Amino acid sequence: MNANSFDSSKVTPLGAPVRRKEDRRFITGKGRYTDDLARPGQTHAYFLRSPYAHARIRGIDTAAAAAMPGVVAILTGHDLAADGIRGLICGWMIHSKDGSPMKAGYHPALAKDKVRYVGDHVAVVIGETLNAAKDAAAAIAVDYEVLPAAADLGSAQAAGAAHIHDDAPRNTAFEWELGDKTATEAAFARAAHVTTIDLVNNRLAPNPMEPRAAIGEYDAGDESYTLWTTSQNPHVARLVLSAFVGLAPENKLRVIAPDVGGGFGSKIFIYAEETVCAWASKRVGRPVKWTCDRSEAFLCDAHGRDHITHGELALDGQGKIIGFRVKTTANMGAYLSTFASCVPTYLYATLLSGQYDIPAIYCEVDAVYTNTAPVDAYRGAGRPEATFLVERIVEKAAREIGQDSAEFRRRNFITSFPHQTPVILSYDIGGYAASLDKALELSDYANFPARKAEAARRGKLRGIGLSNYIEACGIAPSAAVGSLGAGVGLWESAEVRVNPTGNVEVLTGSHSHGQGHETTFAQLVSARLGIPIDHVTIVHGDTDKVQFGMGTYGSRSGAVGMSAISKALDKVEAKAKKIAAHILEASEGDIEFKDGHFTVSGTDRSLAFAAVALNAYVAHKFPTSEIEPGLKEGAFYDPVNFTFPAGCHICELEVDPETGTTEIIKWVAVDDFGAIINPMIVEGQVHGGIAQGVGQALLEGVRYDAEGQLLTGSYMDYTMPRAGDLPSFVVGMTETRCPSNPLGIKGCGEAGAIAAPPAVINALTDALGTEDIPMPATPATLWKIAQGQIARRAAE
Amino acid sequence: MYAFDYQRPAGLDEALAALRAGEDVKVLAGGQTLLPTLKQRLAQPSALVDLAAIPELSRIEHGPYFLTIGAMARHAEVAASPMVAEAIPALAELAGLIGDPAVRNRGTIGGSIANNDPTADYPAACLALGATVVTSTRRIAAEDFFTGLFETALAEDEVILAVEFPVGARAAYRKFRNPASRYAMAGVFVAARDGEVRVAVTGAGQGGVFRWNDAEAALSADFSPAALDGLTLDPSDVMADLHGSAEYRAQLVKVMAKRAVAAIAS
Amino acid sequence: MTQIAMTVNGRAVSADVEPRTLLVQFLRENLLLTGTHVGCDTSQCGACVVHLDGAAVKSCTMLAVQADGHAVTTIEGIADGATLHPMQEAFREHHGLQCGFCTPGMIMTALDLVAHHGADLDEPTIRAHLDGNLCRCTGYHNIVKAVEAGAKSMGSALKHAAE
């Protein structure tokens, strides 16, 4: 065994790079993803999708298709309605400036009267085989009245644009505002300099490598459903399917999310296909399985980002930021997906203060329907959009007033905490100068001019770009998010079950789909209880095992999910101390728990944790009238605040002006995630986040044509980051412990994706000498810009 | 996929007979384009005739004047072949740049040129090197073989046996990959022999692979990258799509051509 | 239906399949070897990479009938009983995986890389050879490290065996 490895038979301390417990099954091919499962008698679902972005359905003739061999059933929106299945919901209510509630257009799992995007669900064919279902789907005759499409965000609100939902005039779901308009206008009135910027935050396809899948199974014996599905939050899925969609009562619906191959937000949502598989299993009396093709995923998985933004930054004569004004138009796609409405509002505008002390901020957001796939949370969700805007406009402002952009940032940093921003959030702690300094040092920022000159001699355009991001993670406390419109509380649950032999199962409402919870959560338990890590099993992802939980997104599983475990461990320890006191015949207050042993203070009388566990169940040696037998404790943890991870990323790159190709030469990431349980896993999260952020900046972009046809419908046209597109990353850390949860954790899952896009674009604007560089900055785009710059310089 | 029959004959005669036996019978070579096409239900052949069991189709031979590559030679075999590396190193390099490693382990030269995808690599080598396509019925000069987008001179029941490349040219291939698909957005194969220069371009032409005559003339007079400075491909003959305008592709062709010339000149 | 017979992970298997059955379907559905995954439908993601007679191939872009008479190795077939293959061990040791979905294809491609380029690999070679394998979790950083280390340890195992 390698010297770096941690022996799983040992206690694993917090802060150690413990190798992952879950890896063995994945590297030997023994993972169990939804599509790996086969239920006896299962049928196969294939969805007939709309080929049009906008059309009225005049009729669906399934007769010929239904008669084809191997067809079990063909079901449409009329069948759904007949069974009383209601539409999919958006779970976060946003009110417009005028106080009116958002216009959430009806979102049926199978379209009945109208289709609103290419890929919208028209019918499901259930076959003995997938081929039989596909063959029959081709024989369904749908009579469409094709309508003009409003596929372009920029023009969807215009008079004369096609009208997508009857109850949403101007295709506008809401017109929302945040901040103090008057104070902000006053700041601009006295500004010495105003920097303006216009940005498009490009639309992305999340692309977890495992496509979505579902198996629905109805048990006629006890009238209950089981849904295996690729979900980041099976409990929320059950709640929505029960309380809103009306599939079945919660106690008659079990949702299981087994191994899930990445999510990045896209597997939070409650989609049509999963809903239909569960419902249809009762209709056909057999399990119904569906697995998404990648091409289908491009059509129907919720996309991310897609903003058009105008920003204005007001500076005083000393280069201090005094006001920030923002107008954003956010694309919602054709329907409001599960959490779509909170993304461009409370997860976006609340972050517009960045790391900076800005006294006045005002932001307006129009949420707009288009005839495109729904848009919802994708890694970072709102926070990348905010950071892109803040870090681009700050960079531009520094350049305009002739200040070094690192120094400009430093002068405007928030330096005392807690800090109340003008946009709701109160930052509990941070150390922005420390991460900036460390990043500048690791990137050898001071000597960049020499490197740029050397590159120029080779005919390359070299640039360096900073990004000082901040994010709000944890997404809590419940009362606070409730006051902002959230339909659910955002706490987390945990249950620690100590077995009589002293090993432990932890049931958590968090869900791991790559984050390594089976290791980090177990590491916490191992360290706290002083037992070997392989004596700890983490159970998650099954509503029959874990009572309730909120799932994993928003970098919340460490800060919130582990805090819930920590709280449950407190209770376990407290009870075990009581039991130990009886056995050791000492008073409870004299019992110390350390290194897995309960010891009478100042003596050598001690009991190992496992011995106390056994005694808890044998229950011979303590009065059960005072102490219940057994050792099992649960906790619901609701944080007191969001957490605020922050840091500084620096990207150095070169552009080949002949081809427009960008090569990232060096990437420095310095992050402050508070306390860290497992640095190996944290660094892995940073790496992956950066790759997705670089993907957004240089490679990825979902494109529709004017008729709403998807142009980037497969990996042939949608550019995924590959190994050769990226460098190895330099990752450093600074630490200010989070005061808002017991473990001091802030969260790390989204940081890279939030930090990276402005770092890349700031480096490109530096390299090319123009502020106007769109994302993705593809070779073709950069070549054209470089040509323009060369021509401009020649003319000067 | 739609259903089809499958045969894997052990000899060429049997394969030809199978091809003639039904309507819309297709040859299966490496399958790296055909199978994705079938998976998307974009074609519905009645049967596939797999050539993988005919050993003579995989041979690579190096004679005094020609390098002959069997139609079923996989890209990875061509890339790794010491014989190819000695005879026409640029061809080995080209084969090593096709697709990705797993695709190269399956894809074949015969399949590539029979499909004549406008973004495939081998057609450029065939044109620039003046290759001859040897089929079950005749020998076809590369100039006559590639007839348009996904079109070749092959008859329905004609099978490519091998491609014969004349040796002795100084050659290089440079390609700019489509960022998403990794096919060529501009691939330029330059071959110089006895004062004659051929420049074949893939990935960019609206009609598929083509020879860039202006560049050939310029390089014949002065074989240096600078000789191409004043030239521009007419953008109206060049493909444009999501990934790049015609103007951009024309630029890439020029840059790749210059880099190929520089590689040969060094 | 066509009858096929092949060796999978050293074991002789045979079955009647429709000619349109992909190798990956045959492995997953007939043999229940679900370690080989399908992540795309355009032969690009590499989650389905297996070895055919020792060479990496995309099992989603090959028919099961084409593998008739050949030897197939999947992720389930590379460990030596309970002892992990050095490349598997390296992925674990260097945190070369997160969600695990792309991992089997990555490991099978890494073994192909070592077969072609030997055990002493530099970063550009590794990154170039992973061109046909997509990962959305790791940013490739730790995959590259894992492949480099796994190759080294395969090299020293070979050297050790030779001595």
Side-chain angles (χ1 to χ4, degrees):
Chain A
M1 182 167 295
N2 188 299
N4 291 330
S5 287
F6 279 81
D7 186 342
S8 64
S9 66
K10 300 275 169 55
V11 175
T12 51
L14 299 184
V18 177
R19 301 309 188 260
R20 299 205 318 172
K21 285 161 64 82
E22 47 271 81
D23 281 358
R24 190 175 179 94
R25 71 175 183 274
F26 294 128
I27 55 184
T28 55
K30 301 295 183 196
R32 280 292 169 267
Y33 302 90
T34 301
D35 187 57
D36 298 343
L37 308 171
R39 300 297 301 166
Q42 75 186 11
T43 59
H44 299 267
Y46 180 75
F47 285 84
L48 180 68
R49 296 176 185 281
S50 171
Y52 303 110
H54 200 195
R56 215 172 295 286
I57 301 173
R58 286 192 289 227
I60 305 177
D61 183 355
T62 60
M68 288 172 68
V71 175
V72 177
I74 299 178
L75 303 171
T76 68
H78 294 279
D79 300 307
L80 262 182
D83 284 0
I85 303 295
R86 297 185 292 271
L88 305 175
I89 61 150
C90 178
W92 196 303
M93 172 53 71
I94 298 292
H95 287 86
S96 284
K97 291 173 212 173
D98 63 7
S100 63
M102 66 186 185
K103 317 283 191 298
Y106 190 63
H107 185 184
L110 295 172
K112 216 168 67 176
D113 308 314
K114 205 174 167 192
V115 287
R116 294 181 172 87
Y117 67 101
V118 172
D120 205 352
H121 316 72
V122 176
V124 61
V125 183
I126 297 163
E128 295 289 349
T129 65
L130 184 58
N131 273 321
K134 281 187 181 177
D135 289 344
I140 296 175
V142 184
D143 183 8
Y144 290 107
E145 176 195 346
V146 180
L147 303 170
D152 168 53
L153 176 60
S155 57
Q157 288 177 297
H163 197 185
I164 299 168
H165 291 283
D166 291 343
D167 54 358
R170 295 174 53 242
N171 291 324
T172 303
F174 55 80
E175 292 168 291
W176 177 84
E177 65 181 348
L178 183 66
D180 186 334
K181 187 176 185 181
T182 313
T184 307
E185 277 172 1
F188 277 85
R190 65 185 175 87
H193 181 87
V194 173
T195 294
T196 66
I197 202 161
D198 287 284
L199 298 172
V200 173
N201 204 289
N202 46 324
R203 185 181 182 113
L204 303 175
N207 274 305
M209 291 319 301
E210 180 209 21
R212 286 192 297 123
I215 306 176
E217 183 169 330
Y218 182 71
D219 182 334
D222 68 0
E223 299 176 317
S224 72
Y225 294 85
T226 303
L227 174 64
W228 288 265
T229 183
T230 48
S231 174
Q232 298 178 217
N233 46 350
H235 293 87
V236 175
R238 181 173 73 159
L239 176 64
V240 170
L241 289 172
S242 295
F244 299 96
V245 177
L247 178 70
E250 268 184 289
N251 61 326
K252 292 292 184 187
L253 173 59
R254 177 183 185 184
V255 179
I256 302 172
D259 284 331
V260 173
F264 314 113
S266 70
K267 292 173 181 169
I268 297 172
F269 322 124
I270 289 75
Y271 289 94
E273 293 90 350
E274 291 88 321
T275 306
V276 167
C277 284
W279 161 71
S281 69
K282 182 180 180 185
R283 275 271 184 152
V284 302
R286 289 167 64 183
V288 177
K289 180 174 183 176
W290 170 76
T291 302
C292 195
D293 282 343
R294 181 61 58 186
S295 310
E296 278 184 293
F298 274 105
L299 290 174
C300 67
D301 284 10
H303 293 158
R305 319 282 192 255
D306 207 349
H307 287 190
I308 299 173
T309 291
H310 174 76
E312 299 177 354
L313 195 69
L315 309 181
D316 70 11
Q318 283 71 52
K320 173 81 185 67
I321 303 168
I322 55 172
F324 190 20
R325 196 154 56 189
V326 176
K327 174 69 201 272
T328 290
T329 308
N331 200 340
M332 298 285 99
Y335 301 99
L336 287 186
S337 172
T338 315
F339 288 112
S341 55
C342 71
V343 176
T345 51
Y346 290 109
L347 296 181
Y348 167 68
T350 53
L351 270 301
L352 289 175
S353 200
Q355 299 184 354
Y356 311 106
D357 183 8
I358 306 178
I361 298 175
Y362 177 67
C363 177
E364 292 173 284
V365 177
D366 284 7
V368 176
Y369 288 113
T370 57
N371 291 115
T372 63
V375 179
D376 204 327
Y378 166 60
R379 201 172 195 169
R383 291 151 292 172
E385 295 90 317
T387 300
F388 186 63
L389 170 61
V390 171
E391 288 304 294
R392 282 292 296 121
I393 201 165
V394 161
E395 184 72 37
K396 192 176 178 210
R399 288 171 184 168
E400 283 178 358
I401 64 168
Q403 280 191 14
D404 174 78
S405 73
E407 287 315 304
F408 179 78
R409 286 175 167 86
R410 191 192 304 280
R411 283 177 201 167
N412 282 288
F413 277 156
I414 294 162
T415 52
S416 72
F417 298 90
H419 174 86
Q420 177 63 54
T421 72
V423 276
I424 299 179
L425 298 177
S426 173
Y427 298 171
D428 51 3
I429 199 160
Y432 309 138
S435 46
L436 174 64
D437 287 340
K438 188 163 181 181
L440 293 175
E441 185 196 326
L442 287 172
S443 67
D444 190 19
Y445 185 76
N447 291 310
F448 173 73
R451 297 195 294 278
K452 188 178 177 94
E454 185 278 330
R457 287 193 289 277
R458 287 183 283 110
K460 297 287 165 60
L461 306 171
R462 195 160 174 129
I464 195 163
L466 275 65
S467 171
N468 285 66
Y469 74 96
I470 189 164
E471 52 174 329
C473 295
I475 324 280
S478 297
V481 297
S483 73
L484 305 178
V488 286
L490 288 169
W491 41 265
E492 194 46 271
S493 77
E495 185 176 317
V496 174
R497 295 180 179 170
V498 181
N499 294 319
T501 53
N503 54 34
V504 173
E505 282 131 23
V506 176
L507 286 71
T508 169
S510 299
H511 186 277
S512 187
H513 30 278
Q515 295 88 342
H517 295 174
E518 289 170 49
T519 304
T520 42
F521 288 13
Q523 203 173 336
L524 171 65
V525 176
S526 169
R528 278 289 302 272
L529 299 182
I531 59 174
I533 192 168
D534 64 4
H535 288 196
V536 184
T537 297
I538 305 299
V539 177
H540 67 99
D542 183 341
T543 60
D544 262 14
K545 292 180 179 169
V546 180
Q547 186 237 332
F548 201 88
M550 298 313 303
T552 289
Y553 41 84
S555 305
R556 66 194 308 275
S557 296
V560 190
M562 285 181 85
S563 291
I565 296 172
S566 177
K567 208 175 149 189
L569 287 169
D570 291 344
K571 295 183 188 177
V572 165
E573 185 182 320
K575 181 169 179 184
K577 268 185 180 167
K578 282 192 175 118
I579 294 169
H582 277 279
I583 301 165
L584 294 167
E585 297 174 333
S587 82
E588 192 189 327
D590 288 340
I591 302 291
E592 287 174 355
F593 182 54
K594 200 171 167 243
D595 297 332
H597 285 79
F598 294 90
T599 307
V600 182
S601 185
T603 75
D604 59 358
R605 283 187 294 144
S606 135
L607 273 175
F609 177 76
V612 176
L614 185 62
N615 271 289
Y617 287 91
V618 173
H620 290 172
K621 294 185 179 168
F622 55 87
T624 52
S625 56
E626 288 171 30
I627 306 170
E628 288 178 17
L631 194 53
K632 178 186 91 165
E633 298 291 342
F636 287 76
Y637 174 73
D638 199 13
V640 299
N641 194 355
F642 284 79
T643 64
F644 298 96
C648 177
H649 286 217
I650 299 182
C651 168
E652 187 164 336
L653 50 73
E654 282 183 10
V655 176
D656 175 353
E658 284 192 327
T659 60
T661 308
T662 298
E663 183 190 357
I664 296 176
I665 307 291
K666 187 172 184 182
W667 194 285
V668 171
V670 176
D671 300 290
D672 176 0
F673 297 137
I676 286 172
I677 306 295
N678 185 324
M680 176 192 80
I681 286 176
V682 167
E683 287 180 21
Q685 289 290 314
V686 173
H687 300 154
I690 295 169
Q692 288 182 7
V694 169
Q696 168 159 32
L698 293 177
L699 307 168
E700 303 179 40
V702 172
R703 298 266 303 271
Y704 286 91
D705 71 9
E707 279 75 48
Q709 292 294 332
L710 182 64
L711 300 176
T712 48
S714 78
Y715 292 149
M716 296 296 282
D717 288 307
Y718 187 90
T719 309
M720 287 282 279
R722 287 174 166 89
D725 296 319
L726 297 160
S728 285
F729 310 110
V730 179
V731 176
M733 298 284 169
T734 57
E735 183 184 321
T736 56
R737 252 183 104 80
C738 177
S740 305
N741 62 62
L743 298 168
I745 295 173
K746 295 183 181 177
C748 63
E750 297 159 295
I754 293 169
V760 173
I761 300 299
N762 284 340
L764 285 172
T765 52
D766 179 42
L768 274 75
T770 169
E771 292 297 331
D772 196 13
I773 294 181
M775 297 194 294
T778 62
T781 303
L782 291 178
W783 172 74
K784 197 163 180 203
I785 292 168
Q787 294 313 298
Q789 287 299 97
I790 290 165
R792 191 178 58 78
R793 278 179 207 145
E796 278 167 11
Chain B
M1 275 189 274
Y2 298 109
F4 49 78
D5 293 329
Y6 171 85
Q7 294 168 61
R8 189 163 68 189
L12 184 60
D13 292 343
E14 204 187 323
L16 292 169
L19 265 180
R20 291 183 193 117
E23 284 289 301
D24 216 6
V25 179
K26 288 258 185 296
V27 170
L28 174 61
Q32 300 303 285
T33 301
L34 180 58
L35 291 176
T37 308
L38 296 179
K39 278 160 68 177
Q40 290 179 62
R41 297 187 163 213
L42 296 175
Q44 195 171 6
S46 62
L48 298 183
V49 179
D50 185 351
L51 303 181
I54 307 173
E56 60 267 34
L57 292 184
S58 296
R59 274 189 213 131
I60 299 175
E61 291 170 331
H62 183 187
Y65 305 109
F66 295 102
L67 174 74
T68 306
I69 299 181
M72 286 296 288
R74 316 275 175 186
H75 306 323
E77 291 166 358
V78 174
S81 161
M83 224 183 276
V84 179
E86 192 199 326
I88 312 176
L91 197 59
E93 198 185 342
L94 174 147
L97 291 172
I98 299 172
D100 60 55
V103 167
R104 292 196 286 275
N105 283 334
R106 294 296 298 162
T108 64
I109 186 170
S112 171
I113 66 170
N115 189 46
N116 193 19
D117 187 307
T119 60
D121 301 283
Y122 267 126
C126 292
L127 269 193
L129 291 167
T132 300
V133 180
V134 183
T135 78
S136 49
T137 54
R138 55 188 168 145
R139 298 167 55 82
I140 311 171
E143 298 280 305
D144 304 321
F145 181 82
F146 301 109
T147 55
L149 291 180
F150 298 101
E151 298 283 341
T152 69
L154 279 179
E156 283 288 307
D157 59 350
E158 190 175 10
V159 172
I160 300 171
L161 305 182
V163 185
E164 240 176 50
F165 293 94
V167 299
R170 294 181 300 149
Y173 181 63
R174 288 295 178 269
K175 125 162 136 172
F176 190 90
R177 296 175 138 206
N178 177 309
S181 72
R182 310 311 241 191
Y183 281 89
M185 262 179 92
V188 181
F189 201 106
V190 177
R193 179 204 312 271
D194 308 330
E196 189 208 354
V197 180
R198 286 186 174 209
V199 179
V201 178
T202 187
Q206 289 201 344
V209 65
F210 68 96
R211 280 173 61 184
W212 186 10
N213 298 323
D214 291 350
E216 292 179 352
L219 290 169
S220 297
D222 169 19
F223 194 78
S224 73
L228 300 174
D229 277 341
L231 299 184
T232 312
L233 268 181
D234 182 352
S236 64
D237 295 333
V238 178
M239 279 199 283
D241 61 17
L242 201 58
H243 302 284
S245 62
E247 199 189 10
Y248 177 60
R249 274 196 173 76
Q251 160 74 6
L252 289 178
V253 168
K254 183 161 144 181
V255 174
M256 294 303 115
K258 288 171 75 166
R259 290 180 184 178
V261 171
I264 295 169
S266 65
Chain C
M1 295 294 238
T2 302
Q3 194 179 28
I4 57 172
M6 65 184 85
T7 307
V8 178
N9 298 332
R11 192 167 61 93
V13 300
S14 61
D16 284 327
V17 298
E18 274 195 290
R20 62 174 159 173
T21 307
L22 295 170
L23 178 58
V24 69
Q25 292 173 317
F26 178 67
L27 294 171
R28 288 177 57 79
E29 293 165 21
N30 293 54
L31 304 183
L32 305 179
L33 294 170
T34 53
T36 302
H37 298 147
V38 178
C40 78
D41 44 15
T42 49
S43 315
Q44 282 161 310
C45 81
C48 66
V49 169
V50 300
H51 291 179
L52 182 79
D53 301 330
V57 300
K58 291 188 165 171
S59 62
C60 76
T61 312
M62 189 171 165
L63 302 170
V65 289
Q66 288 179 285
D68 179 37
H70 293 274
V72 174
T73 308
T74 71
I75 189 69
E76 289 94 341
I78 61 169
D80 181 8
T83 308
L84 294 176
H85 187 283
M87 191 60 79
Q88 290 173 310
E89 186 59 55
F91 268 70
R92 196 186 71 83
E93 178 61 29
H94 295 276
H95 190 30
L97 63 148
Q98 291 182 23
C99 81
F101 195 79
C102 75
T103 311
M106 285 286 177
I107 291 175
M108 299 312 281
T109 298
L111 297 181
D112 183 86
L113 170 60
V114 177
H116 279 94
H117 294 268
D120 195 14
L121 299 169
D122 61 15
E123 185 174 331
T125 305
I126 296 169
R127 288 186 182 272
H129 204 87
L130 294 179
D131 205 41
N133 290 76
L134 298 177
C135 169
R136 194 57 152 168
C137 294
T138 65
Y140 303 99
H141 180 110
N142 284 338
I143 291 178
V144 172
K145 269 167 55 181
V147 172
E148 190 181 348
K152 272 209 179 68
S153 121
M154 285 169 72
S156 49
L158 281 176
K159 227 167 103 190
H160 191 70
E163 279 161 3

